[in-house]
C-alpha cells in the first residue's frame, strides 16, 4: 500500500505564554502560527505459512512546519 498525506492545525492564542517569562515582544508569547505537515508512507502486509505467520513492513516520512509544542 502507499499513501500521501497532508495535515493542518490552525494557529491561535495560548494563555500558557504567560508562564514563559519576560520577552522583548510580549504579544509573540501568546500567539502561535498554524502547523502544517505533509508526507508519505509505503508498506506491505503479508500472511504466510497457511495464515500462521503475518509480516508487516512500513516506511513513513513526514515533515512538519511550525510544529506546535506546549510546555508547562
Amino acid at each position: 500500500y502507499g499513501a500521501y498525506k497532508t495535515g493542518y492545525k490552525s494557529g491561535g492564542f495560548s494563555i500558557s505564554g504567560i508562564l514563559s517569562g519576560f520577552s522583548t515582544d510580549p504579544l509573540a508569547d501568546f500567539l502561535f502560527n498554524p502547523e502544517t505537515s505533509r508526507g508519505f508512507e509505503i508498506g506491505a502486509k503479508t500472511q504466510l505459512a497457511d495464515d500462521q505467520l503475518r509480516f508487516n513492513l512500513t516506511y513513513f516520512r513526514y515533515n512538519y512546519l511550525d510544529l506546535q509544542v506546549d510546555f508547562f
Side-chain angles (χ1 to χ4, degrees), residues 1 42-59:
Y1 66 91
I42 56 175
K45 295 183 176 187
T46 62
Q47 292 183 348
L48 305 170
D50 199 25
D51 292 338
Q52 297 296 312
L53 177 65
R54 292 183 182 174
F55 182 73
N56 299 331
L57 179 67
T58 305
Y59 175 79

Side-chain angles (χ1 to χ4, degrees):
Y1 66 91
Y4 178 78
K5 299 179 181 183
T6 61
Y8 176 82
K9 190 187 315 181
S10 67
F13 175 83
S14 175
I15 193 88
S16 67
I18 293 173
L19 302 175
S20 66
F22 296 101
S23 173
T24 58
D25 186 8
L27 184 60
D29 288 342
F30 295 106
L31 301 176
F32 55 92
N33 293 330
E35 174 185 321
T36 59
S37 65
R38 62 179 69 152
F40 67 92
E41 60 185 70
I42 56 175
K45 295 183 176 187
T46 62
Q47 292 183 348
L48 305 170
D50 199 25
D51 292 338
Q52 297 296 312
L53 177 65
R54 292 183 182 174
F55 182 73
N56 299 331
L57 179 67
T58 305
Y59 175 79
F60 60 92
R61 177 158 177 95
Y62 292 95
N63 293 321
Y64 293 88
L65 298 174
D66 293 321
L67 182 63
Q68 298 173 8
V69 178
D70 200 3
F71 62 92
F72 297 96

